[in-house]
Amino acid sequence: AQSVAQPEDQVNVAEGNPLTVKCTYSVSGNPYLFWYVQYPNRGLQFLLKYITGDNLVKGSYGFEAEFNKSQTSFHLKKPSALVSDSALYFCAVSGTGGYQKVTFGIGTKLQVIP
Amino acid sequence: EPEVTQTPSHQVTQMGQEVILRCVPISNHLYFYWYRQILGQKVEFLVSFYNNEISEKSEIFDDQFSVERPDGSNFTLKIRSTKLEDSAMYFCASSMDGYEQYFGPGTRLTVT
């Protein structure tokens, strides 16, 4: 069974500082990895994905994530945090093959402090 | 930019009643999904739908649940006899390739 772990319930970072939100995964075969963001009372917004290729993937709003196969990690990063980045971030994984279900992590609340 | 839409945004129903949650996926997408998020918990997969049939479902998706794509544009989730524990945010998603899924804003279902 596939699974995702987000070890931090909350991450606090000062505005302008770099941020990292951690994610590790477990899946059979090659993973397809995603990050989604959820603002209060809103749906899930797609940030970025890793399917294959370069281990560093760039996404929306200046976010990027690094795929590390040996550590089975897919940490989300941003060089300079904005207050507007404060939201709930979900890491997700699906397995090889089409129309695979996506398994989400529990979510990490990011709080950017002005 | 095309987006997935869901109606209603909030549905309140009494226990034992039937509810239908509606979704309009992005028009050229081929794969469709329902997920739910109980308050304070993680997003859970319910069902995936492709080529007019269910391709995968979770253990949550029991006989009380059904999905339908009645007219080529809408994608519905029906709960036949709602229970208190069905109270959650229900998200519809669609995908062109089965990988990158685009989510709707959700329907908050409250069962009283």
Side-chain angles (χ1 to χ4, degrees), chain B residues 29-109:
Chain B
H29 283 189
L30 303 174
Y31 301 87
F32 313 105
Y33 310 82
W34 283 101
Y35 293 81
R36 78 173 186 189
Q37 184 182 29
I38 295 172
L39 186 64
Q41 299 186 24
K42 66 179 179 181
V43 178
E44 301 173 291
F45 169 79
L46 291 178
V47 65
S48 58
F49 192 86
Y50 171 73
N51 201 25
N52 288 318
E53 61 182 22
I54 290 173
S55 48
E56 189 174 5
K57 60 183 181 179
S58 72
E59 61 275 9
I60 302 168
F61 195 88
D62 62 20
D63 292 344
Q64 292 299 311
F65 291 87
S66 62
V67 290
E68 194 176 38
R69 188 157 162 79
D71 56 10
S73 63
N74 291 285
F75 181 52
T76 62
L77 175 69
K78 181 193 291 186
I79 308 175
R80 289 190 182 83
S81 178
T82 51
K83 304 187 284 287
L84 293 176
E85 53 265 38
D86 293 327
S87 294
M89 182 74 90
Y90 288 80
F91 293 107
C92 172
S94 70
S95 174
M96 167 63 83
D97 58 7
Y99 299 117
E100 186 172 331
Q101 297 180 22
Y102 291 83
F103 284 77
T107 292
R108 182 170 297 284
L109 176 65

Side-chain angles (χ1 to χ4, degrees), chain A residues 59-70:
Chain A
S60 306
Y61 313 120
F63 284 92
E64 56 190 28
E66 186 167 13
F67 170 63
N68 187 316
K69 188 173 183 178
S70 63

Side-chain angles (χ1 to χ4, degrees), chain A residues 37-110:
Chain A
V37 59
Q38 185 179 35
Y39 296 97
N41 300 315
R42 300 286 297 276
L44 296 162
Q45 293 182 35
F46 173 82
L47 274 181
L48 51 79
K49 67 180 178 185
Y50 171 82
I51 303 294
T52 187
D54 194 351
N55 289 345
L56 184 66
V57 293
K58 295 186 183 297
S60 306
Y61 313 120
F63 284 92
E64 56 190 28
E66 186 167 13
F67 170 63
N68 187 316
K69 188 173 183 178
S70 63
Q71 297 185 1
T72 61
S73 68
F74 190 58
H75 301 331
L76 181 70
K77 300 181 180 185
K78 187 173 182 181
S80 178
L82 300 173
V83 172
S84 57
D85 292 331
S86 298
L88 190 57
Y89 289 81
F90 291 95
C91 181
V93 66
S94 69
T96 305
Y99 55 78
Q100 289 284 323
K101 71 176 184 181
V102 174
T103 298
F104 286 82
I106 194 74
T108 298
K109 183 179 180 181
L110 174 66

